[in-house]
Structures are given as C-alpha cells and as structure tokens.
Amino acid sequence: MVVRAKGLIVTICVISGFFALGGFLAIAGSGQSAGHRAVDGVIGLAVLILGVRTAVTGLRLEAMTTTVRGLTTTDRLARAEVLGLAVQPIARGRLRRIVVVCADGRIIPAVWTVGRATDAWWEQRAATAAGGFGPTQLAVTETLTRTERLAGTAMLPIVTAEPELSPATVSPVEPADGSTRWLGWETTFVVIAFALPGLAAAVEILAQHVDGVSDLNEFELPLPHHPAASLFILLLGYLTSALIVPIALLLLARTGQPPTSLGLHRRGLRRDTSSAVGLLAAVWVLNIVLLLPLSPLLNNKHLTNTATNSHVPVYYVLYGLFVSAVTAINEEVVVNGYFMTRLSQRGWSPWRAFALSLAVRTSYHAYYGIGLIATIPLGYLATRSFQKRGRLGRPILLHFMYDAVLFTIAVLTS
C-alpha cells in the first residue's frame, strides 16, 4: 500500500520537468562558453533529479518492509523495527501527516502523506494503512505516552513534536566534579580554533579584493612553473586543516558520545548516500530560487569576489576531490557533530543552536563578499539534516558532492 499526496507530487514533477528541459536546451544553445554550459548542465541535472525523486516519494507499506521516501531522505525499515503509525498536526493544525513509530523510539515523518485535518476520506485512508500493522499498532500509544509525545486519541494517535537533536534527546554530560562549567570553555576553544584561522584568511582575501590587489584564486600554485610538484605541496598543506577533527571526536567520546553515536559507521551508508543525492538537488534548487533575484548584486565585481582563471592541468581534478573531501569532513564533524551536540548538552534550544552553527559556518566564507549568500542553502540543509536524523554521513556526503562538482567545473574550465 502506498500513501502520498498525489496532486502535489504531480505538480512538482511537471514544474521540474519544464525547468530541466530549459537547462538542457540552454546547453544546446550557441554562443555560450564551456563554463556556462557546464553550469546549465548541473542546474538541469539537479532539477531533473528533483523531479524523478519527487515521483517516487511517499509511504510504502509492504509485507516485510516499510519505506519512508521523502524528497531528500529514504528510510527503509524491516517489519520488526516498526510498531505502527500515528498522525502529526502541521501548518498550525490545518493539515496532518502520517509518521512511522519505530520500536527503538524513533519517529520518522512521511512528509508526503499530507491531508486536511477535517478530511474524513484522508482519515479513513490513514486508519486503513495503520490497520495493516495488526496488534503492534497498540504499542504506538504506549511508546508515545512514554516519550511524552501523545497529544490525544483519535483514529490514530497524535504526535505532538518531531524528534530532533535537543537538550531532551542528547545524552547528558556528567563530569566527575559534578560541574559542567568547563564544557562551555571547551566548546568555545574548539570552535575558535577551527573557525578563527578560516575567518582571518577570509578577511585577508576579501580585503585584497576590495583594495584591487587580487581576486580569489582557487589554485594558487606555490611553484607556478612546476604544477606537479605544486600539487603535492598543496595536498600536504591542506591536510593540516583536518587536525581539529580527531580532537573534536576524542573530546566527544570522552563524554560518552563516540563516533557511532553521530552516525559515523557503515550501517545505513547506502541510505545516507541516496539521501545526500536528494539533498544535493534541493541545494541547487534553493540556490536558483535565492540567487536569481540577487543576480544584479552578485554580478557586481565590487561586492562579490569571484575566482580568477588559474589555468591548471586537468589532473588537478584530484586536488579538487581531495579538498572537497577534507572540507566536508572538517566542517560537518566540527560545526555539526561537535558544536551542535555540545550546544544541546549545554541546554540550547534546537533553533538557537542552529542559528549559531550557521553563523559560524558562514563567517569563514566571508572572502566571497556578498556571494557568501550562496553558502546558506548548503549550510541550512546540512545542519537540519543532522539535527533531525543524527547522522553525519548525510551532510558529509552532501558537502563533498557539492564542492566536488564546483571544483571539477573550475578545473575543466580553467
């Protein structure tokens, strides 16, 4: 049995198809540079992936598995993992959607199972879907009551809130002396050690651009006449930026949060990868929506710092992939895994922690000038993904793929 909002899905698929067609037609157009063609191709492919992904979204109930497939995530659960279904009010109570309640207490929303709260047909369809779970559906009420998420009784239990990283869900820290005052200093020093060098370098690069000294150079070779030797030096130099990662993971592990608690393990890797592809398509779509109205500002060379034409060999794609991987691991482990976890342990609300994390992430991209706005969609989706799912694999893979695409285009068009 499949439950989903078919009308909304069809609408999004049709719109995505038109945008994808426009992107591919732009590639075939004459008078465009290779760089513009590459960008049009990426946009068209991203929107096409979005449309295809939308077409297969929904809640699928089968004899042995339950699949919750959203726009950017896929959760495939064995029958033994699922207790049953519940409903959750959204849009200030005007709409409802179905959520899957798992035996381990997780609550996974099926975002495309949306219906009006007063729609008797939708309520009956939801109840029919829940009926397929048999006696285990009775355990849903007990689970929601135990986790204080049961708001009332209806044809299905009503979930009051979505689970996410918060002071109520993160494991507490209990130092030997009974005090957590040193935890705040530790968090401050780790984040400063990670972000301050990047922020200082970003300010220097931006100041040089404003003063007319130089523009952003993604491939500034230490030995301009020896690109192969320069590649080795650049790889070694950038690797040093990853030193903070094992330190952050060790500090978390010492207070009871090992890497496995952050989702850093092989289990679910395929699911994380497919979800990251969906998130990548969403990032490109958000970039289009956000940046098109701001194109006059972004095209202003005084306000936006753009990359210069560096002319590097094609094998520098390896450098781009290396930098993309190291950057993704650095940022997501420290700014997401470490910082967000520590803020939750310090009692910060999810949205306060999210706002500060996004501000830190954006700060060391100041070298783009106004162009740093383009980093916000990626930061938003990566951080919210970790908050809601507790798995670092998804934001790491998303960040790597996003940067890898941009670096590859930069190398091939240099």
Side-chain angles (χ1 to χ4, degrees):
M1 180 179 185
V2 179
V3 185
R4 55 185 176 178
K6 295 181 180 179
L8 180 59
I9 290 175
V10 170
T11 301
I12 295 177
C13 287
V14 171
I15 294 175
S16 299
F18 278 115
F19 274 102
L21 180 61
F24 293 131
L25 289 177
I27 299 175
S30 57
Q32 286 188 320
S33 65
H36 283 136
R37 289 174 184 268
V39 171
D40 289 337
V42 169
I43 293 174
L45 182 60
V47 177
L48 181 61
I49 292 173
L50 176 68
V52 173
R53 180 73 184 188
T54 303
V56 297
T57 56
L59 173 64
R60 183 179 296 274
L61 306 173
E62 298 173 332
M64 301 302 296
T65 59
T66 297
T67 303
V68 184
R69 185 176 284 114
L71 192 60
T72 59
T73 59
T74 297
D75 291 280
R76 186 171 288 103
L77 307 167
R79 182 64 185 81
E81 296 181 73
V82 179
L83 291 179
L85 306 180
V87 298
Q88 180 183 39
I90 57 175
R92 298 183 179 180
R94 293 190 295 270
L95 302 174
R96 290 183 179 180
R97 66 183 178 189
I98 300 177
V99 299
V100 178
V101 182
C102 300
D104 59 5
R106 288 181 298 153
I107 299 177
I108 303 175
V111 295
W112 297 96
T113 57
V114 180
R116 293 191 298 271
T118 57
D119 193 331
W121 179 88
W122 181 84
E123 286 281 359
Q124 183 60 47
R125 184 173 176 80
T128 301
F133 286 93
T136 56
Q137 180 69 26
L138 300 176
V140 173
T141 300
E142 297 178 7
T143 300
L144 296 179
T145 302
R146 186 173 65 252
T147 57
E148 298 180 351
R149 291 189 179 128
L150 184 62
T153 58
M155 298 182 71
L156 289 178
I158 299 178
V159 177
T160 57
E162 231 174 69
E164 60 180 25
L165 184 66
S166 69
T169 59
V170 72
S171 58
V173 175
E174 299 178 359
D177 61 357
S179 172
T180 59
R181 64 191 181 93
W182 293 110
L183 191 64
W185 287 111
E186 175 206 292
T187 306
T188 301
F189 289 143
V190 169
V191 173
I192 288 177
F194 173 74
L196 186 57
L199 177 60
V203 171
E204 178 183 353
I205 294 172
L206 184 61
Q208 290 175 333
H209 170 72
V210 172
D211 197 47
V213 176
S214 65
D215 289 326
L216 177 63
N217 188 350
E218 297 174 311
F219 306 101
E220 187 173 0
L221 304 186
L223 304 174
H225 302 294
H226 301 281
S230 294
L231 176 61
F232 176 77
I233 296 173
L234 288 172
L235 292 176
L236 184 62
Y238 200 78
L239 184 61
T240 60
S241 66
L243 294 176
I244 193 69
V245 172
I247 295 174
L249 291 176
L250 177 61
L251 291 172
L252 285 176
R254 292 188 62 182
T255 55
Q257 297 82 37
T260 53
S261 70
L262 305 176
L264 293 175
H265 48 74
R266 293 183 180 180
R267 182 182 177 186
L269 180 60
R270 185 171 62 178
R271 185 169 60 196
D272 287 343
T273 303
S274 62
S275 298
V277 172
L279 285 168
L280 179 64
V283 168
W284 282 108
V285 171
L286 287 176
N287 276 335
I288 295 171
V289 173
L290 179 65
L291 299 181
L292 279 180
L294 301 176
S295 56
L297 288 176
L298 298 176
N299 291 329
N300 189 322
K301 297 299 182 181
H302 298 288
L303 300 177
T304 302
N305 190 10
T306 56
T308 58
N309 196 357
S310 303
H311 299 295
V312 292
V314 174
Y315 59 79
Y316 264 70
V317 168
L318 297 176
Y319 173 71
L321 296 177
F322 178 82
V323 170
S324 299
V326 172
T327 301
I329 294 172
N330 290 354
E331 290 194 31
E332 302 312 326
V333 168
V334 178
V335 181
N336 258 342
Y338 175 82
F339 196 32
M340 295 292 289
T341 300
R342 283 292 191 246
L343 290 178
S344 296
Q345 289 169 331
R346 295 284 295 167
W348 284 55
S349 67
W351 281 107
R352 284 183 65 208
F354 167 80
L356 183 58
S357 174
L358 187 61
V360 170
R361 183 193 293 266
T362 305
S363 67
Y364 48 79
H365 292 96
Y367 55 83
Y368 286 123
I370 295 296
L372 64 81
I373 295 173
T375 67
I376 294 178
L378 173 66
Y380 176 88
L381 289 178
T383 304
R384 288 298 291 160
S385 174
F386 177 68
Q387 272 190 311
K388 296 169 74 66
R389 301 289 180 174
R391 296 185 60 85
L392 273 180
R394 297 180 183 188
I396 288 175
L397 290 168
L398 162 66
H399 199 147
F400 166 72
M401 290 188 290
Y402 181 81
D403 283 358
V405 169
L406 295 181
F407 265 112
T408 300
I409 292 175
V411 172
L412 297 181
T413 59
S414 67

